Amino acid sequence: MLRATVGLVEERDEEQEDEGEEELRDGGVPFYVNRGGLPVDEETWERMWRHVARIHPNGEALAKEIRGATDLPKIPVPSVPTYQPTTTIPQRLEAIQKYIRELQYNHTGTQFFEIKKSRPLTALMDIAKEMTREALPIKCLEAVILGIYLTNNMPGVERFPLSFKSQFSGNHFHHIVLGVHSGGRFGALGMSRREDLMFKPLEFRTLMDLVQEFNGAYRGYWHTLHKVKIGQYVSHDPHSVEQIEWKHSILDLDKLTKEELRKELERHTRDMRLKIGKPAPPSPTKDRRNSMGSPHRGPSSPIRRISRVERRPSGEKKVLEQKPSADMNGYQIRV
């Protein structure tokens, strides 16, 4: 019922996603995180309908039409990709991205799965399993966790978080994808409203090439990219109690020349390679693993980091001439 209803709302909402927005937060319509697990509780359910009524031109009528329907169409449920032994790494990554895309972007105003970045990897993988069971629309952070889960059995593919902060018409936007590296080439998996701000095929020779590719995509939507945050490689052990290191390097593009940015990205690439040779902390025992469980099924305390890794500096400040942003009369292009 939930997936069928969400599907109907999104089919009609996608036509309106480029219209002007109200109550902007983080550059877009405010959204909530479902902290009560699934199925959603009554309060969350009603809040989703209020969101539809607020952002859709025919919101109230649309909500009544869908809620009063007795023959909602069945929404197809995507299947988790499977592979033949001869399937190449690029083909597997494309299949994973196709699966993520088929889940659809979540326009409901409520993120269905609560992602706490401080949780150990094993707990985040439990959430990813739940995503595959429920097959509900997701946002970019959920797609990163799902991408890690679906590539865990691909030891030749290294994964790392890659996040962006951009600005358009006075508002800031945040986005994240899962960077991938295999066979000497970089690429990305993810979810976005914009086709060129998620998947990148495994064809970029350096991390600089990959970042520049995303930067060019942002410029295509009149966004100015200000910061790039890059994490370390993520363990392939789904039972690891390690935390994902989300921000090993924080690069301020306003303060870096192109050459300085290239050197910082080369340094980060070397740091990631060094981590491959370091032994990971032991996985929890079976009893402890079971006690951690999924955050949707019971509370668990995150494993606190003993020490913090020194973040890479982003270089000396470079004074740049400010270019006037286009006056779009409050119009916001969300990414």
Side-chain angles (χ1 to χ4, degrees):
M1 172 64 178
L2 177 58
R3 181 167 177 81
T5 303
V6 167
L8 274 179
V9 172
E10 289 191 350
E11 284 178 9
R12 305 177 192 192
D13 182 46
E14 284 178 348
E15 300 174 0
Q16 304 299 326
E17 68 174 354
D18 289 337
E19 298 299 326
E21 308 292 347
E22 293 182 353
E23 299 181 82
L24 297 178
R25 186 182 70 189
D26 190 25
V29 174
F31 71 92
Y32 297 88
V33 176
N34 171 37
R35 305 186 190 280
L38 296 169
V40 296
D41 56 37
E42 188 66 22
E43 179 183 354
T44 302
W45 187 248
E46 293 300 325
R47 187 175 62 207
M48 289 168 60
W49 286 115
R50 291 194 299 271
H51 176 79
V52 172
R54 184 172 67 251
I55 70 168
H56 198 281
N58 301 314
E60 292 186 6
L62 175 64
K64 290 180 181 178
E65 176 187 346
I66 297 177
R67 301 188 81 170
T70 57
D71 57 345
L72 290 175
K74 186 176 181 180
I75 303 297
V77 177
S79 299
V80 176
T82 56
Y83 322 102
Q84 298 296 325
T86 55
T87 306
T88 65
I89 293 297
Q91 290 171 336
R92 295 185 183 206
L93 293 176
E94 289 179 10
I96 290 172
Q97 182 61 47
K98 181 175 181 290
Y99 172 73
I100 292 174
R101 187 182 290 110
E102 288 176 347
L103 291 176
Q104 301 183 29
Y105 188 87
N106 184 350
H107 295 277
T108 67
T110 296
Q111 180 177 306
F112 294 119
F113 303 95
E114 183 181 11
I115 308 296
K116 292 184 177 179
K117 291 183 175 180
S118 60
R119 285 189 175 276
L121 185 59
T122 180
L124 295 176
M125 294 303 95
D126 285 341
I127 299 175
K129 291 178 187 176
E130 192 161 17
M131 291 184 206
T132 62
R133 287 195 300 267
E134 301 293 343
L136 290 170
I138 58 177
K139 298 176 82 69
C140 60
L141 181 56
E142 294 160 300
V144 167
I145 300 303
L146 185 57
I148 293 172
Y149 173 72
L150 295 174
T151 53
N152 272 338
N153 61 351
M154 300 166 63
V157 177
E158 299 298 341
R159 300 81 42 84
F160 58 95
L162 176 61
S163 58
F164 308 95
K165 179 181 179 181
S166 64
Q167 184 176 9
F168 174 80
S169 192
N171 288 278
H172 290 96
F173 296 74
H174 297 267
H175 181 48
I176 186 169
V177 297
L178 181 66
V180 292
H181 181 257
S182 179
R185 292 292 185 269
F186 288 91
L189 299 170
M191 176 63 85
S192 172
R193 300 178 182 89
R194 311 297 171 183
E195 187 69 25
D196 50 357
L197 285 174
M198 43 184 183
F199 177 68
K200 299 295 178 184
L202 202 62
E203 61 183 31
F204 297 91
R205 190 176 60 85
T206 66
L207 190 53
M208 177 70 169
D209 293 338
L210 180 63
V211 170
Q212 291 291 74
E213 169 69 17
F214 276 104
N215 195 6
Y218 272 107
R219 288 198 301 267
Y221 300 109
W222 298 281
H223 276 237
T224 300
L225 188 58
H226 289 302
K227 284 189 178 181
V228 177
K229 300 178 183 179
I230 318 169
Q232 276 280 23
Y233 284 157
V234 179
S235 169
H236 283 79
D237 180 4
H239 307 300
S240 170
V241 296
E242 282 186 277
Q243 292 175 319
I244 295 174
E245 188 175 346
W246 299 92
K247 298 180 290 186
H248 183 74
S249 296
I250 302 176
L251 307 178
D252 191 333
L253 272 60
D254 296 329
K255 299 178 181 179
L256 293 170
T257 65
K258 187 174 182 179
E259 180 62 20
E260 289 170 340
L261 176 62
R262 183 187 63 78
K263 289 181 179 179
E264 288 294 331
L265 292 172
E266 287 178 350
R267 183 181 291 118
H268 184 91
T269 301
R270 290 194 296 270
D271 288 350
M272 290 195 296
R273 289 172 181 164
L274 288 173
K275 186 181 179 183
I276 297 178
K278 294 182 179 179
S283 299
T285 63
K286 182 177 181 181
D287 290 340
R288 183 180 176 190
R289 191 182 307 158
N290 291 337
S291 69
M292 296 182 77
S294 167
H296 289 282
R297 288 167 175 75
S300 63
S301 299
I303 306 301
R304 294 190 177 276
R305 188 179 299 176
I306 297 176
S307 63
R308 301 183 66 86
V309 178
E310 181 180 353
R311 296 173 182 169
R312 292 291 177 186
S314 60
E316 297 296 323
K317 180 174 180 63
K318 177 189 176 185
V319 179
L320 297 177
E321 181 181 353
Q322 288 292 107
K323 296 182 179 180
S325 58
D327 182 7
M328 306 292 281
N329 295 323
Y331 176 78
Q332 295 297 312
I333 298 180
R334 292 181 286 152
V335 294

